[in-house]
Amino acid sequence: MKICHLTSVHSGLDTRIVIKECQSLAKVEHDVTYIVPNEENRTEYGVKIVGVPSNSRHPIQRIRKTTRAVFEAAKSENADVYHFHDPELIPIGLKLKKLGKKVIYDVHEDVPEQILSKQWIPKKARRLMSKGFASYEKKASGKFDAVVTATPYIAEKFRVYNQNTVTIHNYPILSELMDEDHSSDISASGDTGKVVYLGGIYRLRGIIEMINSIERVNQIRNTHLILGGSFAPPTLRDEVEQLPGWKYVDYRGFLSRVEVKRALSDSHVGLVLLHPEPRFVVSLPIKMFEYMSAGLPVIASNFPLWKEIVEDNDCGICVDPLDEEEISRAILELLDDPERCIRLGENGRRAVADKYNWKKESERLIQLYNNLN
């Protein structure tokens, strides 16, 4: 089949979209195109990347202008199946359906819940917008040929609207981040150790608590936080650089996949301390599984779903993500016990190899496409 993936938000080499989904489809000899803003036309991972212009930084302008450019490029491709990844592209998906195309809606997050914490939306308007979008999404989703969701929780909601709803977990590619030579070099005397956070750097994803906790830890032992990702909003970086703990941060900016592997190899403990927002509590963050894949013990928010994963696989410690003292204690507990770090890291790596890997998810994705014929 000729398949076209669409985005107006994500990057040119988005891990879930390009490296996992598109590449998996290309490997079984589908003709795969990815339409994405502000990228040069080229082929990578067996996927034809088609760039469209977008100079719109504000979400409202992007929704008006960029989505129109994505639609025009999509029509030009004349694909058999269109697979879109952003809720703002729902109208585009409906237009493509009217043109007789098969259309898949890929739902990465619970958008109605996400709207409730969008800073660019006036607070008084968020609940009304959330309810309005939920109603619109419900009606539209039933018209698509399939819905793909990133978690079972989201799938439960969409299956009511569209019976052809499939969960494709965003698990790691099995061998990408595994480093068989990775081993802890933490000094038992307490003079070194590195923790890592990779991903979007937002207030609600715990950046303030992580930096303050590292400052606490350094009152006892020399420890650094390896930080990779982009700040949102950009002004947040100015704020966190004023914190006393920033001097213990090794900020590496936005990282390529090779740089992600290097950062994980340089680290001893992985942090995933999202705040207890409703949409986060039921999420399955890729970073947690990437830490596990790299053989790092994790310190994770104590959400019931996450505790089940971390504690059942004995691969880390769960803490209150808003309690900086508890976070710093967990960091010290692991860094002070190198043998435990290694054991928990090996348990996590084994769990990824057995259960939480992209191989099984790619098979489910390919079967979904086969069933569209």
Side-chain angles (χ1 to χ4, degrees):
M1 288 184 286
K2 183 173 176 55
I3 297 167
C4 186
H5 282 242
L6 313 174
T7 185
S8 54
V9 176
H10 292 85
S11 67
L13 291 179
D14 182 271
T15 305
R16 175 178 172 87
I17 300 173
V18 178
I19 299 176
K20 293 177 183 174
E21 292 185 347
C22 289
Q23 182 178 203
S24 295
L25 293 165
K27 282 183 175 179
V28 292
E29 299 185 354
H30 291 302
D31 179 355
V32 185
T33 298
Y34 177 45
I35 296 176
V36 56
N38 295 329
E39 291 287 336
E40 293 183 359
N41 293 350
R42 64 193 190 277
T43 298
E44 294 203 42
Y45 299 100
V47 179
K48 184 175 76 171
I49 297 174
V50 175
V52 297
S54 175
N55 297 317
S56 305
R57 295 187 177 182
H58 192 278
I60 297 298
Q61 293 178 332
R62 185 189 68 232
I63 290 171
R64 289 175 178 171
K65 296 180 180 180
T66 308
T67 57
R68 189 181 307 123
V70 169
F71 177 58
E72 293 302 323
K75 283 197 302 181
S76 298
E77 289 297 320
N78 192 29
D80 302 307
V81 181
Y82 290 90
H83 186 143
F84 70 94
H85 293 266
D86 311 303
E88 63 194 50
L89 293 179
I90 289 176
I92 304 307
L94 294 174
K95 289 181 180 180
L96 291 167
K97 278 299 299 175
K98 288 182 179 180
L99 294 175
K101 303 298 184 179
K102 295 185 183 297
V103 178
I104 298 172
Y105 178 23
D106 201 317
V107 188
H108 297 200
E109 295 196 58
D110 187 332
V111 180
E113 286 289 348
Q114 189 182 43
I115 289 172
L116 296 175
S117 58
K118 288 287 188 183
Q119 299 299 312
W120 60 271
I121 301 174
K123 194 169 185 179
K124 292 182 179 180
R126 291 176 197 170
R127 189 161 298 279
L128 183 62
M129 288 184 66
S130 175
K131 289 182 178 179
F133 180 80
S135 176
Y136 172 67
E137 187 179 48
K138 174 181 178 180
K139 292 177 182 178
S141 298
K143 299 178 181 180
F144 298 133
D145 297 275
V147 174
V148 169
T149 71
T151 70
Y153 173 81
I154 300 175
E156 286 180 14
K157 291 186 174 184
F158 278 87
R159 201 164 281 117
V160 177
Y161 322 144
N162 189 317
Q163 291 187 346
N164 195 21
T165 296
V166 178
T167 299
I168 307 292
H169 298 94
N170 195 24
Y171 291 154
I173 296 173
L174 194 57
S175 61
E176 183 190 19
L177 301 174
M178 286 189 173
D179 184 352
E180 298 301 331
D181 296 328
H182 184 275
S183 60
S184 175
D185 60 355
I186 306 170
S187 170
S189 63
D191 61 358
T192 189
K194 296 182 179 68
V195 299
V196 64
Y197 171 81
L198 304 178
I201 305 171
Y202 302 80
R203 191 180 302 275
L204 290 177
R205 298 193 181 190
I207 185 59
I208 303 294
E209 290 78 13
M210 284 188 280
I211 293 176
N212 287 343
S213 297
I214 286 297
E215 198 270 333
R216 283 173 175 264
V217 170
N218 273 275
Q219 296 173 15
I220 299 173
R221 64 178 295 148
N222 181 21
T223 305
H224 283 79
L225 168 65
I226 295 176
L227 183 64
S230 300
F231 283 88
T235 53
L236 179 60
R237 178 173 178 176
D238 298 330
E239 179 181 342
V240 300
E241 286 182 348
Q242 303 306 311
L243 297 173
W246 182 258
K247 60 180 172 287
Y248 306 113
V249 175
D250 174 7
Y251 178 52
R252 302 189 180 184
F254 182 82
L255 304 180
S256 68
R257 298 306 293 170
V258 171
E259 291 167 330
V260 165
K261 182 172 182 177
R262 185 178 304 122
L264 295 176
S265 182
D266 291 341
S267 306
H268 306 100
V269 177
L271 303 180
V272 53
L273 297 169
L274 279 62
H275 287 193
E277 293 279 308
R279 62 192 172 102
F280 291 156
V281 169
V282 294
S283 68
L284 292 170
I286 178 59
K287 62 182 64 66
M288 179 163 68
F289 298 104
E290 288 185 340
Y291 299 153
M292 292 163 61
S293 180
L296 299 181
V298 300
I299 298 177
S301 302
N302 58 356
F303 307 151
L305 178 60
W306 296 14
K307 287 183 68 176
E308 183 179 332
I309 294 168
V310 173
E311 294 179 357
D312 285 1
N313 292 290
D314 191 23
C315 62
I317 300 173
C318 289
V319 299
D320 179 348
L322 303 179
D323 189 332
E324 294 167 4
E325 183 177 350
E326 187 176 352
I327 295 167
S328 58
R329 281 202 310 267
I331 293 172
L332 285 167
E333 186 178 328
L334 291 177
L335 295 184
D336 286 343
D337 191 345
E339 292 184 0
R340 184 185 180 198
C341 261
I342 294 173
R343 178 174 59 80
L344 296 180
E346 289 176 348
N347 289 344
R349 192 192 314 233
R350 191 177 304 113
V352 169
D354 291 343
K355 296 178 284 188
Y356 309 118
N357 64 76
W358 178 249
K359 184 177 184 299
K360 295 179 180 179
E361 304 307 308
S362 67
E363 293 168 355
R364 192 175 295 117
L365 177 70
I366 291 165
Q367 186 59 50
L368 172 66
Y369 272 85
N370 290 341
N371 291 340
L372 290 178
N373 281 335

